[in-house]
């Protein structure tokens, strides 16, 4: 269709206006625009919920696209059902209230864009029409006007091939055949759709600012103040984009094919879209800062609530448990025995042991704890307690499939209750666990009585030491058990190795030794066997490794191959031997004991110093209380000199004679290393050396050992 003179004149006017607008657009000062639009802003205080309106607008604009053009053969299959939001009663009333203003904006912009008016003046006219509305309402209503205009255009274009009314209307409006000219019009439609997408994103961000809870953030807060300062400008460019899009729609009506291919309008649209994209990026950043501030206040409020709850006396433990275990989820727990999700009510008025750890629990640690748990359940103790695993994870790290697999692997090996997912553990609870219960890396077991009161801040140590004997796992029970204990081999070994307990009952001498010096192990075991034979004492030897398991596999292999002594083939037994010693240390510290006054702590410290060294060491015992321990080299040298103290064995006994013979080998020179894994904050500032009774120097050691 050839262009008429009248049409050519109209087109020339539009091109001239666009060139002028380029200059205005590129040189306009946002500060000047801000003053102009602020002068038009006189809200009446009406609080409109515009989000549902925006949802309808978004549906219209998403369907206003060439891909929705229908043909006679396909229109029945492509029709989509109306979204439920469009049938909401409240939405209908809202649309009735704003319909007149929305249509007025649509017609006003259409009229001004049909002439030679500039886009800025048209945009300011819209601001005057919307002067009594809030900023978010201005943006939504302007987009609604675009949806009406652009939607009518596309409704006609999409249905003209299948609907006689649409066909006649398209003929009157001279709407070009979209399918026929799809390739030519693609750049323009892509630019319009891109601009619409950015305008919707900016408007959604503006609405999100209005929805922020005023209880947690005020308009005076720095982040909110900075955001609100940019919202008027954001609304201006949204409306400016609406004007540009409507102008494009008008430009498609009745134009010649030679003008269709022009890229001038596409350039203007992409420029506005770029401007809005920058604004959206800034608003998104400010929104993140505001939400972070709000989350911080909410977390602090939740933390203080937890503090108050634990300071209050309750008739049962449900309030405490719901505060700890995500009260918004009705079934936050998973019962690993029944394989079903359950609520916290299953824990009501029971002793609850909160097993708190990250996802790096060692196999040995979990295996031993499960064994003790099952032993307690199989004993005669009534089951009025439960264990609940609370996995603490770093929320700043992405939750990957590998972490999900780690969580599921650990959960599959647990017979107790677990939190259904680590994400249910709220930040305020994690803060309380770290700040009040001092959880860092090592697992802890916090015990709550049936009323939710903390009766032991960490029962993991007493469980490692005494197992089911520690029931009901209170600090008072722990104190009572220590009063009954003395330093003896049974305390060291407990039920780790029933064979050793049998040897003790039979009156045999038992030697536990360790280290990873293979040559010393060979020489020492052969020499001690020889001395025991000559002294006519029944002796059994067991290799127990060291606290750091790295390197002991090689030693165990040699001991096994050369039949040097007994050994623990199960790594869990070696791990448990040393972790029990560490637990004895921590348990004593929890009760305020110190090395100067506590004999068991002195002995434990000496054992832990052996375990932290690569050098050999040994402890020899007979009849429970007769115990001797020594560094490997001293003991080896003393045994080499057995002929000189052999006669004392018959008079004093083997261990007393050996102890007396060792005295000349003790020298002032020594190096005692005490390596205690876990929370350094719980370690006393002053630790006395068990050998020379002087204060030890404190160092911090970071270690990663994978054997």
């Amino acid at each position: 269709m050839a262009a008429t003179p009248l049409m050519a004149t109209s087109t020339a006017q539009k091109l001239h206006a666009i060139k002028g607008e380029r200059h205005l657009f590129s040189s306009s000062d946002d500060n000047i625009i801000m003053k102009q639009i602020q002068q038009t802003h006189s809200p009446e205080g009406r609080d409109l919920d515009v989000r549902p309106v925006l949802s309808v607008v978004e549906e219209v604009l998403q369907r206003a696209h060439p891909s929705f053009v229908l043909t006679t053969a396909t229109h029945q299959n492509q029709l989509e059902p109306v979204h439920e939001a469009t049938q909401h009663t409240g939405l209908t009333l809202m649309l009735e209230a704003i319909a007149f203003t929305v249509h007025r904006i649509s017609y006003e912009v259409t009229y001004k864009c049909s002439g030679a008016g500039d886009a800025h003046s048209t945009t300011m006219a819209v601001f005057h029409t919307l002067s009594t509305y809030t900023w978010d309402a201005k943006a939504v209503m302007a987009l609604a006007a675009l949806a009406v205009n652009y939607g009518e255009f596309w409704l006609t274009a999409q249905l003209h091939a299948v609907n006689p009314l649409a066909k006649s209307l398209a003929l009157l409006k001279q709407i070009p055949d979209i399918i026929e000219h799809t390739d030519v019009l693609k750049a323009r439609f892509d630019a319009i759709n891109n601009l619409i997408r950015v305008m919707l994103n900016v408007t959604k961000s503006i609405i999100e600012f209005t929805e922020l809870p005023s209880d947690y953030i005020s308009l005076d807060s720095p982040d909110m103040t900075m955001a609100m300062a940019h919202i008027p400008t954001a609304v201006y460019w949204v409306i400016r984009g609406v004007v540009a899009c409507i102008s494009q729609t008008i430009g498609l009506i009745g134009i010649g094919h030679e003008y269709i291919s022009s890229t001038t309008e596409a350039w203007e649209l992409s420029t506005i879209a770029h401007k809005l994209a920058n604004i959206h990026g800034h608003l998104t950043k400010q929104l993140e800062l505001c939400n972070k501030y709000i989350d911080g206040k909410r977390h602090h409020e939740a933390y203080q609530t937890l503090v108050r709850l634990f300071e209050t006396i309750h008739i049962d433990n449900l309030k405490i448990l719901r505060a700890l275990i995500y009260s918004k989820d009705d079934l936050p727990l998973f019962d690993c025995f029944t394989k079903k999700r359950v609520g916290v009510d299953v824990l009501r008025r029971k002793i609850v042991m909160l097993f708190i750890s990250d996802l790096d629990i060692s196999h040995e640690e979990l295996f031993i704890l499960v064994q003790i748990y099952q032993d307690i359940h199989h004993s005669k103790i009534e089951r009025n307690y439960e264990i609940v695993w609370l996995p603490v994870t770093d929320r700043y790290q992405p939750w990957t499939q590998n972490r999900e697999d780690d969580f599921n692997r650990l959960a599959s090996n647990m017979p107790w209750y677990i939190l259904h997912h680590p994400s249910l553990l709220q930040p305020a609870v994690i803060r309380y666990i770290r700040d009040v219960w001092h959880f860092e890396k090592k697992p802890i077991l916090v015990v709550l009585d049936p009323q939710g009161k903390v009766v032991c801040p960490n029962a993991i140590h007493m469980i490692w030491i005494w197992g089911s004997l520690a029931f009901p796992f209170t600090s008072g029970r722990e104190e009572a058990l220590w009063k009954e204990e003395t330093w003896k081999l049974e305390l060291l070994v407990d039920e780790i190795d029933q064979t050793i307990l049998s040897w003790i009952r039979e009156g045999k001498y038992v030697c536990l030794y360790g280290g990873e010096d293979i040559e010393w192990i060979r020489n020492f075991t052969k020499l001690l066997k020889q001395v025991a034979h000559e002294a006519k004492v029944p002796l059994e030897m067991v290799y127990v490794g060291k606290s750091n398991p790295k390197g002991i596999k090689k030693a165990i292999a040699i001991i096994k191959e050369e039949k040097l002594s007994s050994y623990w083939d199960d790594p869990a037994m070696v791990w448990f031997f040393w972790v029990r010693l560490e637990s004895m240390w921590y348990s004593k510290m929890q009760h305020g004991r110190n090395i100067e006054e506590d004999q068991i702590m002195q002995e434990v410290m000496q054992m832990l110093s052996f375990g932290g060294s690569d050098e050999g060491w040994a402890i020899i015992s007979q009849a429970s209380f007769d115990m001797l321990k020594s560094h490997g080299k001293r003991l080896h040298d003393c045994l080499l000199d057995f002929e000189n103290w052999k006669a004392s064995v018959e008079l004093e006994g083997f261990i007393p004679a050996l102890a007396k013979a060792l005295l000349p080998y003790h020298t002032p020179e020594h190096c005692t290393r005490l390596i205690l894994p876990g929370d350094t904050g719980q370690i006393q500032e002053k630790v006395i050396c068990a050998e020379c009774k002087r204060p030890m120097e404190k160092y911090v050691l970071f270690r990663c050992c994978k054997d």
Side-chain angles (χ1 to χ4, degrees):
M1 180 180 72
T4 64
L6 178 62
M7 188 180 300
T9 303
S10 177
T11 302
Q13 288 176 336
K14 291 178 184 176
L15 290 172
H16 177 75
I18 289 170
K19 291 179 181 178
E21 279 296 289
R22 283 188 189 175
H23 175 73
L24 175 64
F25 185 87
S26 60
S27 62
S28 60
D29 187 347
D30 280 351
N31 291 327
I32 297 174
I33 294 174
M34 175 72 76
K35 291 178 181 178
Q36 290 177 345
I37 60 180
Q38 286 285 9
Q39 290 172 357
T40 69
H41 188 58
S42 303
E44 296 178 345
R46 289 178 294 179
D47 188 14
L48 300 178
D49 182 12
V50 293
R51 188 175 282 279
V53 177
L54 183 63
S55 297
V56 177
V57 168
E58 189 170 11
E59 285 188 3
V60 171
L61 295 175
Q62 284 177 345
R63 289 180 170 86
H65 193 271
S67 61
F68 285 91
V69 174
L70 301 181
T71 64
T72 306
T74 62
H75 79 280
Q76 291 295 335
N77 296 329
Q78 290 192 14
L79 289 175
E80 297 183 36
V82 179
H83 195 276
E84 290 182 3
T86 63
Q87 302 171 11
H88 193 275
T89 305
L91 173 61
T92 302
L93 295 174
M94 174 72 71
L95 291 173
E96 287 178 357
I98 65 173
F100 176 79
T101 306
V102 168
H103 282 281
R104 177 183 171 184
I105 295 170
S106 177
Y107 296 142
E108 187 173 4
V109 173
T110 300
Y111 172 75
K112 290 183 179 295
C113 290
S114 299
D118 65 81
H120 174 68
S121 299
T122 305
T123 302
M124 292 308 300
V126 174
F127 270 106
H128 283 288
T129 302
L130 297 172
S131 62
T132 60
Y133 292 91
T134 56
W135 295 113
D136 58 324
K138 292 180 200 290
V140 172
M141 292 174 71
L143 285 171
L146 171 63
V148 169
N149 183 287
Y150 201 50
E152 287 178 354
F153 171 85
W154 276 106
L155 189 62
T156 305
Q158 290 174 4
L159 296 177
H160 81 280
V162 296
N163 186 290
L165 176 61
K167 183 177 181 180
S168 299
L169 197 58
L171 182 62
L172 284 173
K173 288 191 173 186
Q174 285 293 285
I175 296 176
D177 190 319
I178 302 302
I179 296 177
E180 183 181 345
H181 301 292
T182 298
D183 293 339
V184 179
L185 294 170
K186 185 178 185 304
R188 183 180 300 193
F189 288 138
D190 286 346
I192 292 174
N193 291 328
N194 181 57
L195 177 55
I196 288 173
R197 178 183 58 80
V198 181
M199 287 192 296
L200 287 170
N201 289 338
V202 170
T203 304
K204 288 175 184 177
S205 294
I206 294 170
I207 293 174
E208 286 186 60
F209 277 106
T210 67
E211 294 172 341
L212 293 177
S214 57
D215 291 344
Y216 295 98
I217 189 167
S218 67
L219 294 175
D220 298 331
S221 65
D223 293 328
M224 197 68 169
T225 300
M226 185 173 293
M228 297 308 292
H230 287 82
I231 283 178
T233 304
V235 174
Y236 171 85
W237 287 107
V238 168
I239 298 177
R240 183 73 175 264
V242 167
V243 171
C245 288
I246 292 177
S247 177
Q248 293 300 303
T249 308
I250 296 168
L252 286 170
I253 296 175
I255 62 176
H257 290 241
E258 68 280 0
Y259 182 67
I260 284 178
S261 61
S262 173
T263 59
T264 304
E265 293 85 350
W267 174 86
E268 181 189 14
L269 295 171
S270 62
T271 307
I272 298 175
H274 179 73
K275 179 81 173 180
L276 280 168
N278 289 335
I279 292 173
H280 181 247
H282 179 78
L283 291 178
T284 300
K285 180 180 178 182
Q286 289 304 121
L287 194 60
E288 288 175 356
L289 292 173
C290 289
N291 281 320
K292 186 177 180 181
Y293 177 82
I294 292 168
D295 288 343
K297 293 199 72 173
R298 281 176 170 160
H299 296 161
H300 179 73
E301 184 180 83
Y303 176 83
Q304 293 300 324
T305 300
L306 267 179
V307 171
R308 288 192 297 271
L309 278 173
F310 276 103
E311 291 173 348
T312 306
I313 299 174
H314 305 279
I315 59 173
D316 61 31
N317 54 7
L318 287 185
K319 275 190 177 180
I320 292 289
L321 293 175
R322 284 172 180 151
L324 288 171
I325 307 173
Y326 200 57
S327 60
K328 294 181 181 179
D329 194 316
D330 293 334
L331 302 174
L333 299 177
F334 182 78
D335 187 338
C336 293
F337 181 74
T338 64
K339 308 300 180 184
K340 294 180 180 178
R341 289 185 64 176
V342 296
V344 295
D345 290 352
V346 297
L347 306 173
R348 186 172 183 266
R349 292 192 174 178
K350 287 189 175 184
I351 296 171
V352 177
M353 305 172 71
L354 302 174
F355 180 46
I356 300 168
S357 75
D358 56 19
L359 300 183
D360 295 325
I361 312 172
S362 70
H363 167 74
E364 293 82 8
E365 204 160 16
L366 185 56
F367 174 76
I368 296 294
L369 186 59
V370 169
Q371 290 295 314
I372 293 174
Y373 173 82
Q374 292 173 340
D375 289 345
I376 296 173
H377 275 223
H378 292 153
S379 68
K380 295 180 181 180
I381 299 173
E382 181 186 356
R383 181 176 172 177
N384 62 341
Y385 83 96
E386 298 291 350
I387 293 180
V388 179
W389 181 38
L390 301 183
V392 177
T393 57
D394 187 349
R395 286 174 172 260
Y396 295 104
Q397 289 185 1
W399 186 255
T400 62
Q401 186 59 48
N402 286 339
R403 300 183 79 197
E404 182 76 24
D405 293 342
D406 288 341
F407 170 73
N408 292 331
R409 174 181 53 80
L410 290 171
S412 66
N413 291 315
M414 295 180 180
W416 42 69
Y417 293 106
I418 66 170
L419 197 62
H420 172 61
H421 195 271
S423 60
L424 296 182
L425 202 62
Q426 297 301 291
V429 177
I430 294 175
R431 178 188 168 191
Y432 190 90
I433 286 171
R434 294 190 185 280
D435 291 357
V436 179
W437 292 339
H438 306 295
F439 169 76
E440 285 192 0
K441 177 71 176 171
K442 300 286 285 183
I444 63 174
L445 204 59
V446 179
V447 183
L448 309 179
D449 70 7
Q451 287 72 46
K453 179 184 177 182
V454 176
V455 291
C456 184
N458 190 6
I460 197 80
H461 303 307
M462 73 170 94
I463 286 180
W464 289 154
I465 300 168
W466 294 291
S468 61
L469 286 176
F471 185 85
F473 316 110
T474 64
S475 296
R477 177 58 177 161
E478 188 175 20
E479 182 73 29
L481 287 169
W482 273 126
K483 289 180 179 178
E484 299 172 6
E485 290 290 358
T486 55
W487 181 248
K488 53 188 177 182
L489 198 59
E490 287 93 328
L491 176 62
L492 265 179
V493 177
D494 193 54
E495 297 183 358
I496 298 175
D497 192 337
Q498 291 291 337
T499 304
I500 294 178
L501 297 180
S502 298
W503 292 338
I504 294 172
R505 289 192 294 269
E506 293 168 8
K508 291 184 177 181
Y509 287 79
V510 179
C511 173
L512 306 181
Y513 72 99
E516 60 181 24
D517 185 338
I518 299 300
E519 283 306 310
W520 177 86
I521 290 173
R522 285 194 179 103
N523 296 332
F524 169 72
T525 52
K526 293 175 182 178
L527 182 58
L528 183 57
K529 287 178 183 177
Q530 179 184 337
V531 169
H533 177 73
E534 293 182 21
K536 298 178 181 180
V537 296
L539 175 72
E540 300 288 349
M541 302 176 66
V542 181
Y543 176 72
V544 297
K546 51 185 290 190
S547 56
N548 174 14
K550 186 178 181 181
I552 68 169
K553 286 184 178 180
K554 180 180 178 183
I556 289 175
I558 293 173
I559 292 169
K560 180 180 181 179
E561 182 182 355
E562 300 180 13
K563 299 180 180 179
L564 299 177
S565 72
S566 298
Y567 56 90
W568 290 335
D569 203 16
D570 187 351
M573 296 174 72
V574 177
W575 174 86
F576 195 37
F577 176 82
W578 291 105
V579 85
R580 286 184 74 253
L581 283 165
E582 293 167 5
S583 291
M584 292 178 197
W585 172 274
Y586 284 119
S587 176
K588 286 283 187 179
M589 284 208 308
Q590 280 185 176
H591 289 275
R593 300 291 189 269
N594 57 65
I595 293 177
E596 295 97 318
E597 301 171 357
D598 195 301
Q599 192 250 340
I600 291 181
M601 280 196 81
Q602 294 174 12
E603 302 291 349
V604 168
M605 179 185 168
Q606 186 72 65
M607 289 295 298
L608 290 174
S609 69
F610 288 158
S613 172
D614 297 334
E615 299 174 0
W617 60 271
I619 180 168
I620 303 173
S621 175
Q622 195 268 338
S624 295
F625 299 101
D626 205 0
M627 294 178 69
L628 175 146
K629 60 184 182 302
S630 174
H631 289 281
K633 186 177 185 308
R634 295 175 188 169
L635 185 56
H636 181 267
D637 292 346
C638 182
L639 292 173
L640 283 174
D641 196 34
F642 176 62
E643 290 299 325
N644 291 328
W645 53 274
K646 182 177 180 180
S648 302
V649 174
E650 293 185 7
L651 297 174
E652 303 174 19
F654 180 71
I655 291 181
L658 177 57
K660 185 182 291 184
L662 273 169
L663 289 175
Y665 294 91
H666 286 274
T667 59
E669 295 80 15
H670 66 278
C671 181
T672 301
R673 290 184 293 177
L674 179 63
I675 300 176
L676 297 170
D679 182 7
T680 56
Q682 296 181 10
I683 298 176
Q684 299 169 351
E685 286 298 319
K686 183 180 179 183
V687 177
I688 303 300
C689 176
E691 192 151 337
C692 66
K693 312 304 179 188
R694 291 185 300 176
M696 299 177 70
E697 294 180 273
K698 182 178 179 179
Y699 294 86
V700 176
L701 170 67
F702 295 93
R703 184 173 67 187
C704 177
C705 298
K706 295 290 183 182
D707 198 3

